[in-house]
Amino acid sequence: MLSERDQIFCEKCASGLMAYEAYLEAGFKCTSNESAQAAASRKMKEPGIKEEIRKIRERLCDENCLTLQEKRLRLAEIARGKALFSGEGFLFEVPPSHSERMKAIDLDNKMTGDYAPEKRDVSVQGIFFEDLFEDGQGGHTISEGSELLEGKTERPALEAGASILD
């Protein structure tokens, strides 16, 4: 069971306050910010403190975050042209624009993985990048390599049985 100060410390940390600030606000006494930082660091390593901060953050997320279903329902409302937006103390209906509706459909597709992976042609023409930096022993200089890349000259044919990596 955590003390009252420890509980306050955990709540302050979970809400986003720096650990040393949470330590001081929880009522722990320190002579300097440096000693508060050291003490807060030690406090953060305690298993009970870690677990309590995790629980508080989880609870805050559960209370304040949208679930996947809530997000998808909201996107469906926008995609169908039904969206309520709040204004000063009242609600009024503003239909989303065509681009907003399309964006909602796009986001929903991404969330559900409806897009198939794209296939791309990655064939290479010309010379290999490594050929640009050969040591000069029958290799190309950088300027010759650039001419090959631009298609101004042809690549020498490989001898029978030789590989590209030779």
Side-chain angles (χ1 to χ4, degrees):
M1 189 74 182
L2 297 177
S3 70
E4 185 178 340
R5 283 185 188 171
D6 285 344
Q7 188 63 38
I8 294 169
F9 173 75
C10 291
E11 290 172 5
K12 299 283 184 181
C13 285
S15 69
L17 209 57
M18 297 290 292
Y20 82 94
E21 294 171 329
Y23 190 80
L24 293 172
E25 285 195 23
F28 294 104
K29 302 294 181 207
C30 287
T31 57
S32 67
N33 278 346
E34 290 79 20
S35 64
Q37 289 172 351
S41 178
R42 286 190 302 274
K43 179 73 67 185
M44 291 291 286
K45 293 176 184 172
E46 295 177 17
I49 298 293
K50 283 182 177 179
E51 180 63 18
E52 186 63 22
I53 291 172
R54 186 194 61 74
K55 286 180 183 176
I56 293 169
R57 284 183 177 155
E58 193 174 275
R59 186 185 77 234
L60 289 174
C61 188
D62 286 347
E63 292 171 0
N64 299 318
C65 297
L66 294 172
T67 65
L68 179 62
Q69 184 179 7
E70 288 172 320
K71 292 174 190 175
R72 292 201 60 220
L73 288 172
R74 183 70 173 149
L75 288 171
E77 287 177 356
I78 295 169
R80 291 185 178 110
K82 302 173 185 173
L84 295 177
F85 298 97
S86 61
E88 302 175 23
F90 60 92
L91 292 175
F92 57 96
E93 192 168 337
V94 177
S97 67
H98 178 71
S99 63
E100 290 169 332
R101 293 171 73 177
M102 296 304 294
K103 182 66 177 176
I105 293 169
D106 180 52
L107 287 172
D108 188 61
N109 285 340
K110 287 178 183 176
M111 289 173 70
T112 58
D114 288 344
Y115 289 127
E118 292 183 23
K119 294 181 180 179
R120 297 185 183 212
D121 181 15
V122 290
S123 60
V124 178
Q125 295 179 345
I127 66 166
F128 290 96
F129 185 76
E130 296 85 25
D131 291 343
L132 295 175
F133 300 101
E134 286 186 7
D135 61 359
Q137 308 273 326
H140 304 288
T141 64
I142 291 177
S143 63
E144 289 172 341
S146 64
E147 290 172 355
L148 284 172
L149 285 174
E150 294 170 4
K152 295 180 182 173
T153 62
E154 292 185 20
R155 181 179 174 87
L158 291 175
E159 295 176 17
S163 74
I164 294 175
L165 300 176
D166 288 341

